[in-house]
Amino acid sequence: MTLLDGKKLATQIKSEIKEKVLTRAAEGKKIPHLAAILVGENPASMAYVRNKVKSCEEVGFTSTLFKEPDTISENDLLHLVENLNNNPEIDGFIVQLPLPGHINEHLITLAIKAEKDVDGFHPVNLGKMMLGLPCFLSATPKGILEMLSRYEIPTKGKHVVVVGRSHIVGTPMSILLSRKGKQGDATVTLTGDVHFPSVEPVSSYISPVPGGVGQLTVMALIQNTLLAAERKD
Ligand code: GUN
């Protein structure tokens, strides 16, 4: 059984991106700039965002964090999104979810310009993903594809079981694995949760928690931000 080492892969990807940023700087190209909007003080969200900002620093990106109180109105948040949409300095940005109950998350997601939606949550990016067109893939599915690719695990002709069907992970994952391609061409089933000790004896590969695919999700966001900057070159 092979343990899929996300930490090792993330370190590798980080140094590859750092190298690209240095090359861009030497060529006088723009340093990728990621912005994040954090509303309220949800401890998990604060930790995720801190991690994203830290990763930006590690690869040499510029980052800006907008910390907003959980009392911010939907209108004010929409204005902030609009400002970031129109700010040429910002290559990509995210609005950390979940948002307080009085704010409509769909409305906010729809307001983000698809070209800057490095989370890959906008319907334009999800639609392009369905069609196999270039787009921003959401972080966890992108991290999983990266892991399959770097460990050279082909899925062609395989029966893949995807656990869960969230908009952020399960649903895009099932679509990506059934698309044409090396990390695709699979028959996909969606199911409930997985019991690690039970699947361990019969699994060829396991991505552990912690230290597995979670490590690659932030790298996926970083990769999308670099892509956003490169598209403007
Ligand atoms: N909340 C949990 N995961 C994510 C993510 O990948 N992006 C955003 N914006 N919010 C999240």
Side-chain angles (χ1 to χ4, degrees):
M1 194 269 288
T2 305
L3 210 62
L4 301 169
D5 190 343
K7 202 172 165 64
K8 192 179 84 185
L9 289 186
T11 305
Q12 199 179 319
I13 295 169
K14 231 177 253 180
S15 71
E16 290 167 9
I17 293 182
K18 207 169 164 179
E19 200 59 42
K20 285 188 183 173
V21 174
L22 288 173
T23 306
R24 289 180 65 82
E27 290 171 347
K29 289 181 177 161
K30 185 177 175 305
I31 300 299
H33 188 162
L34 173 73
I37 302 176
L38 175 63
V39 178
E41 296 187 347
N42 175 323
S45 294
M46 286 166 77
Y48 282 135
V49 169
R50 231 186 351 259
N51 210 1
K52 291 169 187 179
V53 169
K54 183 167 155 264
S55 292
C56 281
E57 282 166 12
E58 286 170 352
V59 298
F61 284 7
T62 312
S63 68
T64 306
L65 174 58
F66 294 86
K67 276 185 179 173
E68 303 299 328
D70 61 6
T71 50
I72 189 172
S73 70
E74 192 175 81
N75 238 353
D76 285 350
L77 187 55
L78 283 169
H79 272 119
L80 179 53
V81 166
E82 203 46 35
N83 282 341
L84 297 183
N85 279 340
N86 296 325
N87 183 342
E89 283 305 310
I90 308 282
D91 297 298
F93 67 98
I94 63 157
V95 179
Q96 187 66 27
L97 304 177
L99 292 170
H102 66 278
I103 298 176
N104 182 335
E105 283 184 2
H106 291 299
L107 202 68
I108 303 298
T109 302
L110 282 169
I112 299 172
K113 223 184 202 175
E115 295 90 327
K116 294 195 177 191
D117 166 42
V118 285
D119 255 336
F121 292 170
H122 192 282
V124 165
N125 280 313
L126 289 169
K128 285 184 173 175
M129 176 199 68
M130 282 277 299
L131 298 170
L133 297 171
C135 63
F136 294 120
L137 293 181
S138 59
T140 306
K142 186 178 169 96
I144 292 169
L145 289 187
E146 189 83 49
M147 190 170 248
L148 291 173
S149 164
R150 290 188 185 237
Y151 271 90
E152 296 179 9
I153 304 170
T155 53
K156 188 182 176 70
K158 294 279 198 301
H159 181 183
V160 179
V161 178
V162 174
V163 178
R165 55 181 173 186
S166 68
H167 290 152
I168 294 181
V169 185
T171 298
M173 200 64 242
S174 63
I175 292 165
L176 288 164
L177 287 170
S178 58
R179 277 188 347 187
K180 203 165 177 55
K182 211 169 172 187
Q183 270 72 46
D185 286 327
T187 304
V188 182
T189 310
L190 288 162
T191 189
D193 213 337
V194 74
H195 184 239
F196 195 97
S198 314
V199 298
E200 192 177 4
V202 293
S203 300
S204 300
Y205 300 94
I206 300 188
S207 160
V209 177
V213 78
Q215 296 284 330
L216 298 186
T217 59
V218 179
M219 279 311 102
L221 177 69
I222 296 287
Q223 287 169 309
N224 276 346
T225 305
L226 176 62
L227 206 61
E230 284 174 348
R231 281 187 187 167
K232 296 197 314 198
D233 285 347

